[in-house]
Amino acid sequence: MTTDTTMTAAVYRRFGAPEEVHIEQRAIPAPRAGEVLIRVHASTVSVADHRARARDIPAGLGMLAAVGLGVFRPSRPVLGMDAAGVIEAVGSGVTAFTPGDRVIAAMGAAFGGHAEYVCIAADGAITRAPTSLSLEEAAALVFGGITAQAFFSKVAIGPGTTVLVNGGSGAVGTAAIQLATHLGAVVTAVTSSGNAPLVTSLGADRVIDYTRQDVTAGDETYDVIVDCVGNATFDRVEESINPGGALLLVISDLRSMLRSRRQGRRSGKLVIWDVDKPGAEELAHLVSLADSGRYQPVIDRSYDLADIVDAHRYVDTGRKRGNVVLRIP
Ligand SMILES: NC(=O)c1ccc[n+]([C@@H]2O[C@H](COP(=O)([O-])OP(=O)(O)OC[C@H]3O[C@@H](n4cnc5c(N)ncnc54)[C@H](OP(=O)(O)O)[C@@H]3O)[C@@H](O)[C@H]2O)c1
């Protein structure tokens, strides 16, 4: 039971199956100088939580991931890369937020969102939550939104730019379709037929059902290809990228990373896998789009914190549409 000094959190002590995650009582963290303490109302269970928990890391990146996630056991036992909640307390020197402010935050690789409270630097990736959304909806803006935005910031997208979003129905894909549409791009989404209505409703002009058609099979070419699946390697899609165009590898293995610079130089096409860490400005941009009705969080399912294992099981299917929200009552 939660007390004045302890909180309920979803904790994993070993890497492995969803059942490794369980509910525990932990000490409520105290905000240090420059930090805020958020009372978390909602977070999401993302594919990043799946990857960390199951140590499902792209080929060649296991050692690097172990530095952040832990070698023998998890170094960050509470997962959750994002949070939507209310400021509970602020550390010394914090003037940008006061207790009671509704906020959204991206903790990123620091994790910690699957708990009643989390601390984050006040000058980090935190901003006021959209006024037009519930905190549950607001939580679903963060993970895919900041990722798609970070990759799009590396290329020029404007009216008429042709963009192919591979994996258009996931958290990142649904965000990418909306952001590209908002910028005036002509968007083609790659998904299975059951998700065609979803991606079309988000702005996709054309849908390719990957179960029936290979994206590289036709003559169609694109200015920008965004790979949110991990199967659109440069070797595979090079001919489908217009001269001077770009491949945005939201997910890639070490081999693709190492080869990207040379491939880019040889072909005159950009191959991007590395993006800047998002901050408050990027989150605030998503909030303004959401408040003006130009960006909507896509929520597949919501689970209570107590049902965290079921939430992980569902995310593990790889079939979620948009986001899985975790309610923290
Ligand atoms: N670089 C970064 O900073 C960063 C940040 C966030 C995420 N990521 C990575 O980006 C990837 C996508 O993340 P996400 O959150 O969007 O994943 P997600 O929400 O779990 O993606 C699930 C979706 O993928 C679709 N999908 C599965 N196989 C597909 C295929 N062969 N072709 C087209 N669609 C397919 C599924 O649709 P169907 O059911 O129709 O197949 C499902 O809707 C992950 O690998 C993640 O690790 C990287």
Side-chain angles (χ1 to χ4, degrees), residues 47-48 51 143 147 151 166-173 190-192 195 210 228-229 231 249-251 273 275 315 318-322:
V47 68
R51 287 195 182 284
F143 182 82
T147 304
F151 277 90
N166 187 39
S169 51
V172 182
V190 183
T191 186
S192 58
N195 288 324
Y210 70 88
C228 309
V229 177
N231 61 5
L249 295 170
V250 177
I251 180 75
W273 55 266
V275 289
V315 172
R319 298 270 87 82
K320 77 176 168 68
R321 295 150 44 98

Side-chain angles (χ1 to χ4, degrees), residues 75-322:
S75 55
R76 299 180 191 281
V78 180
L79 293 169
M81 282 195 160
D82 46 30
V86 175
I87 299 287
E88 178 80 10
V90 301
S92 63
V94 174
T95 54
F97 297 97
T98 49
D101 288 346
R102 292 169 87 247
V103 293
I104 56 172
M107 284 78 68
F111 291 97
H114 296 175
E116 286 180 307
Y117 295 92
V118 70
C119 284
I120 184 170
D123 62 358
I126 175 169
T127 194
R128 284 186 171 65
T131 53
S132 59
L133 300 181
S134 69
L135 288 171
E136 234 176 283
E137 292 167 322
L141 286 181
V142 180
F143 182 82
I146 54 173
T147 304
Q149 206 169 241
F151 277 90
F152 283 162
S153 74
K154 297 281 184 179
V155 292
I157 295 183
T161 306
T162 50
V163 176
L164 177 92
V165 181
N166 187 39
S169 51
V172 182
T174 53
I177 292 169
Q178 294 189 73
L179 294 173
T181 300
H182 164 63
L183 294 168
V186 179
V187 178
T188 300
V190 183
T191 186
S192 58
S193 57
N195 288 324
L198 168 69
V199 297
T200 305
S201 74
L202 299 174
D205 302 279
R206 209 171 135 247
V207 180
I208 295 177
D209 176 353
Y210 70 88
T211 65
R212 290 163 187 262
Q213 189 190 334
D214 185 333
V215 281
T216 61
D219 295 333
E220 207 68 46
T221 58
Y222 308 89
D223 298 319
V224 177
I225 294 183
V226 192
D227 183 19
C228 309
V229 177
N231 61 5
T233 58
F234 188 75
D235 289 339
R236 181 172 167 228
V237 301
E238 178 176 2
E239 298 305 318
S240 302
I241 303 172
N242 288 331
L247 173 62
L248 306 179
L249 295 170
V250 177
I251 180 75
S252 60
D253 58 15
L254 181 65
R255 184 165 183 267
S256 291
M257 291 174 178
L258 294 176
R259 297 174 75 211
S260 61
R261 193 180 288 243
R262 191 144 36 92
Q263 289 169 328
R265 264 202 309 267
R266 175 183 57 71
S267 65
K269 299 171 184 179
L270 266 180
V271 187
I272 304 281
W273 55 266
D274 192 18
V275 289
D276 302 328
K277 228 169 108 184
E281 207 178 305
E282 287 75 19
L283 274 181
H285 182 60
L286 288 174
V287 168
S288 80
L289 290 177
D291 270 339
S292 57
R294 288 171 294 169
Y295 183 90
Q296 62 180 85
V298 177
I299 298 177
D300 181 339
R301 296 183 181 188
S302 298
Y303 291 85
D304 286 332
L305 181 63
D307 299 320
I308 184 71
V309 174
D310 290 335
H312 274 271
R313 283 190 189 124
Y314 185 56
V315 172
D316 275 18
T317 64
R319 298 270 87 82
K320 77 176 168 68
R321 295 150 44 98

